[in-house]
Structures are given as structure tokens and as C-alpha cells.
Amino acid sequence: MSPEAKVLEALLREPRLFPPPEHFSQKANTQETELFKIKDPEAFWGQCASLIHWFKPWERILEWDYPQARWFTGGTLNVSYNCLDRHLGSFRRNKAALIWEGEPGDSCVLTYRDLYREVNKFASVLRSLGIKRGDRVTIYLPMIPELPIAMLACARIGAIHNVVFAGFSAHALQERINDIGSRLLITADGGFRRGQVIPLKDNADLALQNAPTVERVIVTKRTGHHINMQLGRDLWWHEIMHTASLYIEPEPMEAEDPLFILHTSGTTGKPKGVVHTTGGYLVGVTMTAKYVFDLKEEDVYWCTADIGWITGHSYVVYGPLSNGATVLIYEGAPDYPQPNRFWEIIEKYGVNIFYTAPTAIRSFMRWGPSYPARHDLSSLRLLGTVGEPINPEAWMWYYIHIGRRRCPIVDTWWQTETGMILISPLPGETPLKPGSATRPLPGIEADVVDEKGNPVPPGKGGYLVIKKPWPAMMRTIYGDHRRYVEQYWSRIPGCYFTGDGARKDADGYFWILGRVDDVINVSGHRIGTMEVESALVDHQAVAEAAVISRSHPIKGQAIVAFVTLKEGFTPSPELAQELKEHVVKIIGAIARPEQILFTPELPKTRSGKIMRRLLRDIAEGRALGDTSTLADPSSLERLRQAYAEEA
Ligand code: WT7
């Protein structure tokens, strides 16, 4: 049995069941609403739409012309109005919207009124630079208040933002800018990470050497180190904000107007610009933030994801702010200056809801329970995870050492493309099984099927699909609608194809098994094998590269690259190091291969296709599967020996 199959066996026999604690259920948001009694999905979403403010009411809930969905057509709204203006008429006006803590220990609090003022001012700056409805704006910022301010300001005037994670390289930034033709780039001099400065403006300068659509750059000062400001192009945030107006009318957007584009990795070398809309997206994230996280007026809510990922868009910025919640944002690393930083922050601010990734939990486990044990974590009442399957061991550790056996855990399954959580427990209602994201949320119809779309029996593996449209679903891939139709709606007849494998158990609980395509999930971040391969062959020494993943105790999966060199280059540890750095330069640190393995040839079929399956077997130390289609079986034996020596 393969190691994955063994883990799966153990998972499916996971006997523990945690019923919702009574103290939680009694006060759960789900108990106070009739919403979940509505069984018809469309009617349900129609009701959810009243969680947000519409300037003009929508006329139709859904127009579904497979695979094109249009939600809440005829309605107009503005996302920044929903996240800001609508809270100003109540006590929320003076409530903390953002509690921000910088990595060096500086901090600030912005009330809803403060955030409203800053967003209006920045929206006025955008207007004064000629940015208008439909224009694309790239945001390349660290986790500082300017990031949500810039996003909300774009939303206010109807500009489409494209946030590029600050850990991405100059090259990755350039690729994304050019993919969508941004007119403006918003960045910072730098950001802090483990006490080091990330040179964001230097990266931006490099990226802009070949990004002709960008007219202006707005730079906010964070680190204060010396940077180059290009006359006529670059503007300081603090200088242009001086003359900004205090109020900008929120643009009434159509429900289907795009709100943002966010790139994610797919199975080709080119990241996909996932397009999300205004109305459906806001309805989806507002409902799920309210009920999956059980947000209460007095809560301090902390999602540790970087805003540069979808988790940050939906559950740091839009979902919680639309609900008028208090959101904590922390700029830096969990182990800086010490591995107790997160627990210190929870104690310092009295955090009630904490949402993080399994990979982080596995790091906490490795650092040991003495770090959280030193802190008063009694304010916590709900925990969440996202990004990858959580192993029951990590789930139990989280439950015991962080939640102190009091807090339900919501294991939330979703994707950049889905925009919102689709499979998750409802806290206070759903009994939990460690390692399972439990069941689809109300309004969501998910299933596990074979290639033809037939449901597979309980306990059997298959493809995870979604069978009905949902409001926050992506509408297209920017500039490549065909790829949208082909990749998501053509693989399994009649269904949205998630790219994940899954099983259902006898209780109808979903157990996510991970990606079934050429996408690797490293520490909850998606990386396309092709992207890493193209980065490797971009190096002068590399002839060919095949990238696969191997299971990793902390990261979930780690990147292993098999590389053949061109004539005149010889394998060496130095060259391996150089190739790793090259990948970091082209993509960013998240894509750094764990291991580079030089080999004189790669195992190929007679038609010349690299047999990745066999490479995976080698990397996992498994017996080799079927090798009968291999052109030269002896090459594989040599490769296996080389790998064994290396390891
Ligand atoms: C992929 C999506 C939006 C979430 C952050 C990552 C994996 C996500 C879970 C979970 C098992 C999960 C899937 C999915 N994934 N959440 N709770 N249990 N797997 O977003 O980068 O778009 O990646 O992350 O494989 O397809 P993303």
C-alpha cells in the first residue's frame, strides 16, 4: 500500500466525533436565523443577498447559461460602501475595524470611521490620477493597513484590483501586470519579514522595465530605507494624500462588474487571472464570514493569511468588514522574534476567532506546546483551518493546545476560484471529525464522482465536483475565457471540476485527498509544476527539468526537481543551490525546490512524455509502478540509485 493510501485508510477509520459544545450552540449565529431552513439553493442565495446593501435591488437571483452564471442581475451596489459607509450610522462608527500589529512591534488601530476616511482619500488620489471604473490597478504591498485601504479605494471607484503577494519576485510581478494591463502600481519601499527588509520597490523597478502599461507608481513608506524614486512616474503615498478630498461618491456597480483579479497557479506555466465579481462575491463572503466564523459584534477576529492570497481577500478584508467585524492584521512571521509571537498577539488583543493553515499548525507542533502554554488563550472561542488537508494529529494538537478543548474547529475547504468557503462545518451545529471538512454549506451541492460524472459509493475515491453554481464563483480567467470553460467545466460533464480528489464516508462527510492535477500544495500555497519547470529551464545550465512533489512533515508537500544539464555543465552542490536561487528569482521564495536531483536522463515514454508518476515513486521511496511504457527502463534504475545515494 502506498503511504498516501495508508494515511487515507487511517483517516477513513478516524473514529473520533466531536459534537458541538452546548455553550457554543446556544449562542451560535446559525441558531438565530431562519436562513438555513430554506432548502432551495436559489431561494437560499436570494435571501442571503439581503445581508448586504443594494443601491438598486436585483431583479433576478441567477441566470445560468452553462457554464456562465450571472447572479443578482439588475442590482447595483458598491463593495466599499458595504464595508464602510453602511456601518457609520451606528455605534460601529467608533468600533475598531482594523487592529494592526507590525512585525517590529509597532501597532495601530483604525476605527470604521478612520478606515472610511483613509479609503475616501485614497479613492480621491486614484481619481486624480485618472483611474476610472474598469481600469486595472496592481497592488504589491506587505501586510500593512495601506493594503486593505488601497483595495477598498479601488472598489469605491470601480477600478479592478490585482493584488500580487509581496513574496513574489519582480519577474512574477511583471508577468501579472502584463497579463492584465495595469495602469497603476501601488507598492511600498519595503516590508519586514523575520527582521529582514523585502525590497519591494527595487523589485517593482525591475518589473517595470518591461511593463509598458503602468503609468504611475504610488509608494508608501514602511521600512524607510533608501530607494530610487523615478521623477514623473513615482509618487509618495503620504505626499499625495495631503491634498486628497475627504469624500468620494461610491460608484454604483453592476452586480456582475468585476471587483478583482487574483492570479493562481494552474497546470500550465502561466498563472491564471481569476476574475471575481461585485454582487455575488460579496454575498458569498458576507454570508460565510458571518456563519462559518460565527462573527459577533464584540469579537476580535484574526485570519493569519496574507491578503495577497484569496483567503486574505475574502476573510481578512471583504467578508469580515462587510459584517462590521474587528479584524486583526499582523505583518510578520509567526516565529519572530520568538515562536510564541502568535500566542502573544492573541493574549495581547484578546483574539476570539483564529483562522490559520495546517502547515502553520504543524510548525507550532514542532516548536512544542510550551510556547502557547505560556499565554492566556482563554479569549479564543472558535478555530479555523484552510489551505490543505489537515492530518488528524495536527487537528487534535490544535484542538487541545490552542483551543484547550473548548473551541470548535472549522476546517474550511475552498479555492481561489470558488471565492468563498464551500465545504465546512457550521460551528455549533455540525459534529466534527478530525481531518474532515465535513459537509457542503447550505446552498452548495458538492459530490465525489468518476470521470463520467457518476457519483462513487461512500468510501471510494473520486473527483470532487460542484454541481450547481454559487454566487462567489469565478466568472472567467482574465483574457482567456476558453481556458475557463475547458479547465473547470469540461472535464466532468455538467460539473465544476475542482482539481481535487476526495472521498465521502457513510455519514456523507467529505475527506479531501489533495490535487489530482499538476499542481503542488506547498504550505497551503498552490504552485504549478510547469511554472517551476519553466523557471529551471530558463537557467543556462539546464536542458530539461521535471518537477514533482514529495510529502513533507511541515509543508504538506515539498518540491523535488529532476534536472538534466546541457553539454559542458557538471552537477555540483553549488549548481543545485544556484538553480534553487534561480527559481526564487523567477517566481519567489514559496517556489524554492526542496531538492534538486541531477540525472543524465529523465524517464520517458516512447512518445517522449516524461513519466512523472515514476519520478514520484522514486521521490517517495516507493516500489516503482508499471514501467512497461518506458522507452529505456535501465535509465530509471540509474535514477533510483542516484536518488538513494543523495538521500
Ligand atoms: C486548494 C486551493 C482558498 C483556500 C486557500 C488555498 C486545497 C484548501 C482545504 C481544506 C483540504 C484544502 C485544495 C484546493 N485546500 N482548503 N480545508 N482541506 N484541502 O486556495 O491556493 O486556491 O488552493 O487548496 O487542494 O483545491 P488555493
Side-chain angles (χ1 to χ4, degrees):
M1 206 188 282
S2 75
E4 284 103 340
K6 275 195 201 131
V7 171
L8 184 65
E9 278 294 314
L11 274 181
L12 288 172
R13 271 190 263 113
E14 171 62 57
R16 286 167 288 204
L17 188 72
F18 293 81
E22 196 147 317
H23 65 87
F24 197 102
S25 303
Q26 279 167 357
K27 293 187 222 145
N29 285 350
T30 50
Q31 302 300 305
E32 287 163 12
T33 175
E34 303 285 293
L35 194 57
F36 300 111
K37 302 210 170 99
I38 307 173
K39 293 297 164 224
D40 172 59
E42 259 186 61
F44 171 76
W45 291 118
Q47 196 57 42
C48 289
S50 51
L51 292 169
I52 65 171
H53 178 87
W54 298 84
F55 293 141
K56 182 162 149 274
W58 43 271
E59 284 150 21
R60 301 192 52 184
I61 300 174
L62 171 65
E63 288 168 35
W64 180 224
D65 179 13
Y66 185 94
Q68 216 45 55
R70 293 166 54 77
W71 285 89
F72 309 119
T73 43
T76 66
L77 74 161
N78 184 282
V79 169
S80 99
Y81 182 94
N82 271 281
C83 292
L84 301 168
D85 308 42
R86 72 158 159 157
H87 305 314
L88 299 183
S90 73
F91 66 91
R92 279 186 188 156
R93 163 191 151 93
N94 298 320
K95 173 181 172 176
L98 301 180
I99 300 176
W100 175 81
E101 172 143 322
E103 196 187 68
D106 46 343
S107 63
C108 73
V109 176
L110 290 175
T111 64
Y112 271 95
R113 186 64 175 71
D114 293 335
L115 187 58
Y116 167 82
R117 183 187 61 238
E118 296 308 305
V119 168
N120 272 282
K121 283 169 65 181
F122 198 65
S124 125
V125 164
L126 295 177
R127 276 269 167 82
S128 69
L129 294 176
I131 302 298
K132 43 181 207 318
R133 189 173 171 141
D135 285 346
R136 274 84 60 216
V137 172
T138 298
I139 306 178
Y140 183 56
L141 284 172
M143 285 283 279
I144 55 177
E146 285 83 350
L147 175 48
I149 290 169
M151 292 162 76
L152 289 161
C154 287
R156 195 164 189 88
I157 64 166
I160 303 167
H161 62 68
N162 181 224
V163 180
V164 177
F165 170 55
F168 276 125
S169 66
H171 178 270
L173 173 63
Q174 180 181 80
E175 190 179 23
R176 285 158 178 74
I177 291 173
N178 288 333
D179 184 46
I180 60 161
S182 291
R183 292 188 59 198
L184 176 74
L185 173 64
I186 303 164
T187 189
D189 50 355
F192 291 114
R193 187 77 188 176
R194 292 208 170 81
Q196 305 282 313
V197 167
I198 315 170
L200 295 174
K201 179 59 166 61
D202 296 350
N203 290 350
D205 287 339
L206 259 176
L208 293 183
Q209 285 177 5
N210 186 15
T213 56
V214 172
E215 298 155 25
R216 292 286 192 157
V217 182
I218 301 177
V219 186
T220 180
K221 196 177 265 184
R222 171 63 186 135
T223 53
H225 70 293
H226 176 76
I227 54 160
N228 159 60
M229 291 290 280
Q230 188 174 308
L231 204 70
R233 185 193 70 181
D234 302 351
L235 302 160
W236 281 110
W237 177 296
H238 58 270
E239 286 177 7
I240 43 174
M241 283 288 261
H242 272 317
T243 48
S245 337
L246 288 173
Y247 182 73
I248 289 288
E249 190 89 35
E251 189 79 22
M253 304 301 289
E254 301 287 328
E256 282 293 312
D257 278 337
L259 174 64
F260 65 86
I261 303 167
L262 187 63
H263 288 88
T264 190
S265 293
T267 50
T268 73
K270 194 170 176 288
K272 304 181 271 199
V274 171
V275 177
H276 281 294
T277 57
T278 303
Y281 174 80
L282 193 66
V283 169
V285 298
T286 304
M287 186 284 278
T288 46
K290 178 166 181 168
Y291 293 106
V292 173
F293 298 115
D294 193 51
L295 281 176
K296 298 278 198 287
E297 205 61 75
E298 60 279 11
D299 280 329
V300 176
Y301 162 89
W302 184 18
C303 164
T304 67
D306 194 289
I307 294 173
W309 306 108
I310 190 70
T311 309
H313 281 58
S314 300
Y315 299 110
V316 177
V317 181
Y318 292 121
L321 294 180
S322 169
N323 280 288
T326 295
V327 178
L328 188 123
I329 296 179
Y330 166 58
E331 176 186 34
D335 55 349
Y336 189 85
Q338 294 294 322
N340 68 331
R341 186 65 184 271
F342 275 16
W343 322 125
E344 190 180 76
I345 291 175
I346 290 176
E347 184 172 19
K348 178 173 173 188
Y349 296 103
V351 171
N352 306 102
I353 301 164
F354 179 67
Y355 186 34
T356 196
T359 184
I361 297 166
R362 290 191 296 265
S363 294
F364 305 147
M365 286 172 77
R366 194 185 53 184
W367 299 333
S370 71
Y371 289 104
R374 276 194 250 154
H375 295 275
D376 178 3
L377 304 183
S378 59
S379 57
L380 288 175
R381 62 181 194 86
L382 178 64
L383 304 175
T385 77
V386 62
E388 50 179 321
I390 183 166
N391 42 313
E393 195 196 350
W395 195 101
M396 287 305 299
W397 193 93
Y398 196 31
Y399 186 73
I400 294 167
H401 294 286
I402 308 304
R404 313 249 159 109
R405 300 178 198 267
R406 283 178 296 107
C407 308
I409 297 177
V410 287
D411 175 353
T412 61
W413 179 90
W414 57 298
Q415 310 177 300
T416 305
E417 294 88 336
T418 69
M420 61 183 254
I421 296 167
L422 297 191
I423 305 179
S424 164
L426 283 172
E429 207 168 287
T430 315
L432 308 174
K433 296 186 188 187
S436 169
T438 76
R439 280 193 290 242
L441 290 176
I444 301 301
E445 207 176 295
D447 208 350
V448 180
V449 301
D450 63 19
E451 306 82 63
K452 297 206 180 74
N454 303 313
V456 301
K460 287 263 178 302
Y463 300 110
L464 176 65
V465 295
I466 314 297
K467 293 186 151 170
K468 282 208 163 79
W470 63 99
M473 66 195 266
M474 73 186 292
R475 298 299 194 270
T476 189
I477 293 173
Y478 192 84
D480 199 351
H481 194 67
R482 232 184 64 194
R483 195 173 169 195
Y484 166 76
V485 177
E486 277 168 10
Q487 296 211 339
Y488 299 102
W489 296 96
S490 308
R491 289 280 305 266
I492 311 278
C495 296
Y496 168 82
F497 177 71
T498 63
D500 279 351
R503 290 193 191 196
K504 271 202 294 189
D505 67 16
D507 298 328
Y509 277 44
F510 285 69
W511 299 80
I512 313 294
L513 307 176
R515 304 290 307 191
V516 294
D517 52 9
D518 288 327
V519 170
I520 303 181
N521 190 325
V522 183
S523 303
H525 299 314
R526 256 160 83 167
I527 295 157
T529 50
M530 285 274 282
E531 284 171 66
V532 183
E533 286 168 7
S534 347
L536 284 165
V537 297
D538 180 74
H539 189 280
Q540 51 163 0
V542 176
E544 211 175 15
V547 165
I548 53 135
S549 66
R550 155 159 64 82
S551 48
H552 186 279
I554 305 283
K555 300 176 181 175
Q557 291 185 300
I559 299 173
V560 178
F562 291 84
V563 168
T564 63
L565 294 177
K566 286 185 189 153
E567 263 321 294
F569 291 93
T570 33
S572 71
E574 292 74 33
L575 183 56
Q577 192 53 33
E578 196 179 311
L579 294 183
K580 288 182 187 175
E581 291 313 320
H582 192 70
V583 175
V584 172
K585 198 182 117 199
I586 300 282
I587 305 174
I590 52 162
R592 183 197 305 272
E594 182 86 2
Q595 192 176 16
I596 302 265
L597 206 86
F598 295 109
T599 166
E601 68 255 288
L602 290 167
K604 288 186 184 160
T605 61
R606 282 173 212 108
S607 61
K609 255 188 98 181
I610 298 172
M611 294 184 74
R612 287 198 172 67
R613 174 175 56 79
L614 296 177
L615 294 174
R616 273 193 286 268
D617 288 344
I618 291 178
E620 299 278 8
R622 285 194 291 258
L624 295 175
D626 182 10
T627 58
S628 58
T629 51
L630 204 61
D632 173 14
S634 68
S635 73
L636 198 65
E637 197 37 52
R638 288 194 294 277
L639 193 55
R640 192 154 64 147
Q641 272 166 19
Y643 191 84
E645 277 161 30
E646 176 97 353

